[in-house]
């Protein structure tokens, strides 16, 4: 039996189960809202914008390491992608600078 539904005869009509409101988990309705930045989230928007303005990757990496995704777990993958892009860009910039100087 599914724990999220009531089987009480007073709540039942025509054989349908009636959902029980979970007072302990207040975050259920939190994810009904669309993500910011045109619905793709701050992380993925920053990843795309970072190809034009790479400092956005560092901004999102700071949000990732600051655990901004605890506010909305849907942001975690985009912020992690930006952190990886920031690391790759830093390594490529250091290698390019070393090749240029040597």
């Amino acid at each position: 039996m599914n724990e999220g539904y009531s089987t009480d005869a007073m709540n039942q009509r025509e054989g349908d189960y009636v959902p029980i409101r979970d007072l302990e988990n207040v975050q259920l309705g939190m994810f009904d809202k669309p993500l910011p930045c045109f619905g793709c989230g701050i992380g993925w928007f920053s990843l795309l914008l970072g190809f034009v303005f790479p400092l956005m990757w560092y901004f999102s990496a700071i949000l990732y390491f600051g655990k901004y995704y605890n506010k909305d777990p849907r942001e975690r993958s985009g912020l992690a992608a930006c952190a990886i892009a920031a690391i790759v860009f830093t390594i490529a910039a250091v290698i390019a600078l070393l090749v240029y100087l040597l």
Side-chain angles (χ1 to χ4, degrees):
M1 178 177 276
N2 192 347
E3 294 177 8
Y5 292 101
S6 172
T7 57
D8 187 14
M10 295 298 291
N11 292 332
Q12 202 172 14
R13 59 173 188 256
E14 298 180 20
D16 293 336
Y17 288 103
V18 177
I20 298 174
R21 296 189 189 271
D22 190 7
L23 298 176
E24 294 176 9
N25 193 356
V26 294
Q27 292 183 344
L28 287 177
M30 177 179 164
F31 304 122
D32 293 337
K33 296 183 224 172
L35 289 170
C37 298
F38 306 105
C40 65
I42 295 170
W44 292 113
F45 185 75
S46 296
L47 181 72
L48 294 174
L49 193 60
F51 289 106
V52 177
F53 185 63
L55 291 177
M56 289 301 293
W57 290 333
Y58 294 104
F59 170 71
S60 295
I62 290 169
L63 288 178
Y64 179 71
F65 292 122
K67 298 190 186 243
Y68 176 79
Y69 55 82
N70 284 341
K71 289 184 179 181
D72 191 350
R74 299 177 294 172
E75 293 279 359
R76 188 175 194 157
S77 59
L79 293 173
C82 284
I84 293 168
I87 291 169
V88 169
F89 179 75
T90 302
I91 292 170
V94 167
I95 290 173
L97 185 65
L98 289 176
V99 168
Y100 177 72
L101 292 177
L102 298 177

